[in-house]
Amino acid sequence: MHTFGTILCILSGFILLFAFGWYGYSSSLLGRFVEYYNGATLVKLHYIGAGCIVVMAAFNVIYHGIKGDDSILASKSDIKDSIAEIAVVMGVIGDGSLFGIKGLYLPKSIKNVLANLFGRMGIDKPPHAGKWLPIEKVEYTFVFSVLIAVLIITGFIKVFKWKLMATMSPLGYVHNVVYTASWLHDAAAVIITLFLIVHVITASVIPVSWPCIKALVTKKMSLEHVKHHHEAWYKEIMRERGR
Ligand code: HEM
């Protein structure tokens, strides 16, 4: 549901943005598409996507809050571990190759320089990944959660902009609030789209993440994969099974 909502918001949002021109910084494309363009329908589609995002965000916070499940939130050590994870994927530490694809190796000289640099930061071993990889936790906590929060807050300001304009004073102040909210909404929209593109490309290029993509649909993952790539999670499962 949140994937559907996000895709719908990105598509409808960017058509809305570029159709009217970007706050005077780019010319309106409306003229070119005027025969196909229906602003009201696009706004409705945007609201449907926004609804999905708001419901899913609330569900995530309430459901996991009640369960006390904060396993996806990054801790201090996850930042260091996510750098180690990038180093593993690049084949700089551990025995992996670039992006985990055999045959794609970094030249040894570059690897040595990087290994030295990471070593000085105390990063010389692959991280013990739990259910979530360290980089996923960092991305979720510091990038996606923040951007979604900004999109929702500024989105609501935009939804109620006419009511705000009518009730709040002085008018200049309200205008600035709505204008700043629009800017933040668009900046967050661009950044989240770029992150999602990188997120999808890296997940499709790195073979280790393929079973995780399959698990998104099947909700199942082989114990063998968990054992080799999510060591801490494997230990947890074995502990729960009493082995
Ligand atoms: C991934 C999520 C989202 C993206 C990428 C996105 C992007 C955009 C973009 C590019 C625009 C057009 C430019 C503008 O008017 O500022 C827009 C408009 C708007 N967005 Fe979003 N948005 C998202 C989520 C949301 C959410 C969650 C809400 C509400 C809570 C929301 C409410 C609005 C409103 C009210 C408008 C103005 C529509 C109009 O022209 O009347 N958006 N959005």
Side-chain angles (χ1 to χ4, degrees):
M1 190 168 161
H2 68 264
T3 311
F4 169 78
T6 309
I7 293 174
L8 200 56
C9 273
I10 289 178
L11 293 178
S12 56
F14 281 109
I15 300 176
L16 277 170
L17 180 65
F18 290 112
F20 285 120
W22 190 44
Y23 301 107
Y25 292 98
S26 77
S27 63
S28 169
L29 295 175
L30 190 59
R32 293 185 210 172
F33 298 111
V34 81
E35 282 171 41
Y36 314 100
Y37 181 76
N38 182 340
T41 311
L42 279 171
V43 173
K44 274 185 204 144
L45 288 175
H46 199 73
Y47 280 13
I48 295 173
C52 294
I53 294 175
V54 173
V55 168
M56 285 317 292
F59 171 78
N60 254 304
V61 172
I62 296 168
Y63 177 75
H64 293 290
I66 290 172
K67 269 179 63 182
D69 175 11
D70 61 355
S71 61
I72 198 166
L73 297 180
S75 61
K76 244 185 193 169
S77 65
D78 285 314
I79 297 178
K80 202 168 153 188
D81 283 348
S82 59
I83 301 174
E85 195 185 323
I86 295 170
V88 171
V89 168
M90 290 167 72
V92 173
I93 58 177
D95 53 7
S97 55
L98 189 62
F99 293 124
I101 301 170
K102 286 203 165 69
L104 267 180
Y105 293 98
L106 277 179
K108 220 174 170 159
S109 52
I110 298 182
K111 257 186 176 184
N112 289 344
V113 174
L114 289 174
N116 213 318
L117 195 78
F118 288 134
R120 281 182 204 196
M121 293 157 73
I123 298 169
D124 50 10
K125 277 191 283 304
H128 296 297
K131 181 173 182 181
W132 312 106
L133 300 177
I135 205 155
E136 284 170 347
K137 289 168 130 193
V138 170
E139 251 185 352
Y140 182 89
T141 313
F142 299 114
V143 182
F144 291 123
S145 302
V146 174
L147 291 173
I148 288 292
V150 170
L151 283 164
I152 292 177
I153 296 166
T154 54
F156 273 119
I157 296 177
K158 285 164 78 61
V159 171
F160 296 112
K161 74 176 168 206
W162 297 118
K163 282 213 167 86
L164 279 173
M165 296 276 200
T167 54
M168 279 168 70
S169 60
L171 203 61
Y173 171 74
V174 181
H175 178 266
N176 280 345
V177 170
V178 175
Y179 185 80
T180 310
S182 286
W183 258 98
L184 287 174
H185 196 78
D186 295 353
V190 171
I191 300 171
I192 205 165
T193 307
L194 293 176
F195 264 94
L196 284 173
I197 292 172
V198 173
H199 187 76
V200 171
I201 291 178
T202 42
S204 359
V205 162
I206 301 172
V208 203
S209 52
W210 294 344
C212 303
I213 301 176
K214 210 169 135 204
L216 280 179
V217 183
T218 61
K219 299 199 169 179
K220 287 190 181 118
M221 182 172 283
S222 87
L223 201 58
E224 211 39 40
H225 181 85
V226 175
K227 186 175 176 181
H228 286 109
H229 300 286
H230 303 261
E231 214 181 315
W233 186 25
Y234 181 77
K235 283 187 186 148
E236 204 182 304
I237 296 172
M238 288 299 120
R239 229 186 357 259
E240 277 167 15
R241 289 184 181 179
R243 288 189 207 169

